Amino acid sequence: MEAGPPGSSRPAEPGLCLSGQRGADHTASASPQSVAGTELGRHPQAVAAVLPAGGCGERMGVPTPKQFCPILERPLISYTLQALERVCWIKDIVVAVTGENMEVMKSIIQKYQHKRISLVKAGVTRHRSIFNGLKALAEDQINSKLSKPEVVIIHDAVRPFVEEGVLLKVVTAAKEHGCSDYDLEFGTECLQLALKYCCTKAKLVEGSPDLWKVTYKRDLYAAESIIKERISQEICVVMDTEEDNKHVGHLLEEVLKSELNHVKVTSEALGHAGRHLQQIILDQCYNFVCVNVTTSDFQETQKLLSMLEESNLCILYPVVVVSVHFLDFKLVPPSQKMENLMQIREFAKEVKERNILLYGLLICYSQDDQKLQESLRQGAIIIASLIKERNCGLIGQLLIA
């Protein structure tokens, strides 16, 4: 299946309902599918999901099974789990993995704080792995945290972009429709399993363009591109409360809005204990531009970095921070301040360990309005590129606009 155009919605935190998201997900929350999903959540149904994840990924051509291949340094299967966790009416998620990868899977669940996940041992075939997952859900075991479901969604561990609307269609079809020879002829093996082992009826449901499977190595690059696009849709310009600094910060904000008309650009001050900024972080903005005017230190940037480190924002996706410094090159030659500015290298190394990508940008603060606007425009282009590419090779570098 061909990959569809990337959506504009930001991925959600683990465990959050899609319909409850803020920010760029307002469009999704207003859709009929999400409204229906909310209704389903108000009247809990016994819905669970099984993810067969025992394959070795021979067609990928890499030694690591494809479900554990990294995308932005995070395993692919973690993105798939996140997509299912954001659907609050899926009560349990059972993942079938091989014995040799059981500890790897446990570490992924712990590191990325996944919830509602249970593990079972995979079988020698995909069918047997699915059966083991169904068996775990069907059995009444003492001290088991799993509840017997009415509907079980079988989902590939390497399809990370499944949306709530598609899952809801599957659940609805499972309750309302029967099965035909056409469904079995053109459906998947999951239909045959459902009929063979569950003594129930099944229905083929058409998926969305985004419901494609990572099969080959090139698919990893495509998935990474989509994820980068989704988390680059909002930029917060952070500045201190001094009027001169706010003035230049707002100028940069306006230029960013002009140059990046497809991106939401907001601004916030670090004053007042950063309450508003903390809310922006909670709303899952993954890109920050910290403005430092006529100063070569990193006080404002360090404040922002501390707030980000204290939050859980960096667990799932790399957060970009561009530390912007304005200097009048006629009054202060860059060489005089460069030594202090190069501190950014050490800061960048420290925060990289916490999944924060820190870059430096030096913009000429000219008294000539036309030259200042040109410097701001060049700075906006550099900022846009840093945010879109998220290049780890450039962290700690000081770029000049």
Side-chain angles (χ1 to χ4, degrees):
M1 184 178 292
E2 294 293 328
S8 61
S9 59
R10 278 201 314 277
E13 295 265 7
L16 296 183
C17 277
L18 176 63
S19 55
Q21 278 182 249
R22 301 186 55 172
D25 278 340
H26 278 168
T27 302
S29 64
S31 67
Q33 290 92 340
S34 278
V35 172
T38 303
E39 289 300 319
L40 189 57
R42 287 179 187 158
H43 305 284
Q45 303 290 318
V47 179
V50 171
L51 271 67
C56 60
E58 290 181 1
R59 286 177 290 181
M60 182 70 72
V62 295
T64 304
K66 58 188 175 183
Q67 60 270 26
F68 300 118
C69 284
I71 298 178
L72 296 179
E73 301 187 20
R74 178 178 156 205
L76 172 60
I77 192 171
S78 176
Y79 292 95
T80 308
L81 291 177
Q82 180 193 357
L84 295 175
E85 283 177 314
R86 60 197 288 199
V87 182
C88 55
W89 42 265
I90 295 179
K91 303 304 180 184
D92 296 302
I93 302 169
V94 179
V95 183
V97 293
T98 60
E100 62 186 21
N101 288 319
M102 190 67 71
E103 292 304 316
V104 173
M105 194 65 232
K106 288 179 180 178
S107 67
I108 290 171
I109 293 170
Q110 181 178 11
K111 180 176 181 178
Y112 299 104
Q113 300 183 7
H114 292 297
K115 309 296 182 186
R116 315 199 305 272
I117 311 297
S118 298
L119 301 180
V120 298
K121 190 173 181 180
V124 293
T125 65
R126 173 185 165 86
H127 286 191
R128 179 56 62 175
S129 293
I130 294 173
F131 176 76
N132 289 350
L134 295 173
K135 184 178 178 183
L137 289 166
E139 291 179 345
D140 294 319
Q141 300 180 14
I142 300 175
N143 299 325
S144 174
K145 61 181 180 180
L146 297 174
S147 56
K148 187 177 292 186
E150 226 183 306
V151 175
V152 179
I153 299 170
I154 310 298
H155 184 71
D156 287 319
V158 290
R159 295 185 193 267
F161 302 120
V162 62
E163 295 290 347
E164 182 182 11
V166 172
L167 296 171
L168 184 62
K169 285 181 181 179
V170 171
V171 172
T172 302
K175 290 178 172 294
E176 296 180 357
H177 296 284
C179 172
S180 68
D181 292 339
Y182 175 89
D183 294 329
L184 285 178
E185 184 177 354
F186 295 100
T188 70
E189 74 274 21
C190 296
L191 286 170
Q192 298 178 40
L193 277 177
L195 291 174
K196 185 174 181 179
Y197 294 112
C198 301
C199 300
T200 188
K201 295 183 178 180
K203 177 69 177 178
L204 181 64
V205 176
E206 185 177 352
S208 65
D210 286 335
L211 195 60
W212 53 278
K213 182 179 180 181
V214 174
T215 303
Y216 302 102
K217 195 172 182 179
R218 64 176 179 268
D219 297 331
L220 289 173
Y221 301 122
E224 179 177 299
S225 178
I226 291 174
I227 292 167
K228 283 181 177 179
E229 183 73 19
R230 289 186 174 185
I231 61 178
S232 300
Q233 296 303 307
E234 183 174 353
I235 300 173
C236 179
V237 180
V238 181
M239 60 196 82
D240 63 28
T241 54
E242 293 185 18
E243 288 303 317
D244 289 343
N245 296 2
K246 287 176 66 176
H247 171 68
V248 178
H250 285 307
L251 285 178
L252 178 58
E253 179 188 358
E254 292 305 313
V255 173
L256 283 168
K257 287 179 178 178
S258 175
E259 294 293 324
L260 311 175
N261 51 24
H262 63 289
V263 175
K264 179 182 177 182
V265 181
T266 59
S267 63
E268 199 54 66
L270 273 170
H272 307 295
R275 287 190 295 271
H276 294 158
L277 185 55
Q278 288 173 347
Q279 186 59 51
I280 289 176
I281 293 172
L282 286 174
D283 288 345
Q284 300 166 48
C285 174
Y286 293 96
N287 312 286
F288 297 86
V289 176
C290 192
V291 176
N292 303 267
V293 182
T294 65
T295 179
S296 58
D297 60 38
F298 290 88
Q299 289 183 355
E300 303 305 315
T301 301
Q302 285 180 289
K303 290 178 185 177
L304 173 61
L305 292 173
S306 295
M307 293 179 66
L308 291 171
E309 289 174 10
E310 291 171 3
S311 73
N312 289 326
L313 185 68
C314 314
I315 292 176
L316 297 179
Y317 302 96
V319 176
V320 168
V321 175
V322 183
S323 184
V324 179
H325 301 264
F326 287 86
L327 291 175
D328 190 331
F329 293 170
K330 288 184 177 180
L331 298 178
V332 183
S335 58
Q336 293 184 15
K337 297 295 184 181
M338 198 63 72
E339 184 176 349
N340 288 337
L341 288 172
M342 292 316 293
Q343 296 178 67
I344 193 171
R345 290 181 177 176
E346 295 305 315
F347 294 144
K349 288 179 183 178
E350 293 176 11
V351 298
K352 175 62 175 66
E353 298 298 319
R354 289 176 284 280
N355 211 21
I356 300 174
L357 307 181
L358 175 62
Y359 309 95
L361 178 61
L362 188 59
I363 297 179
C364 177
Y365 189 14
S366 175
Q367 300 301 315
D368 183 292
D369 288 343
Q370 185 174 350
K371 290 183 179 179
L372 177 58
Q373 284 293 321
E374 179 59 25
S375 294
L376 290 171
R377 192 182 73 82
Q378 291 295 330
I381 293 172
I382 293 173
I383 289 169
S385 179
L386 291 172
I387 287 173
K388 183 176 181 179
E389 296 302 324
R390 283 176 151 71
N391 190 332
C392 292
L394 290 177
I395 61 171
Q397 298 297 311
L398 183 63
L399 308 174
I400 299 178

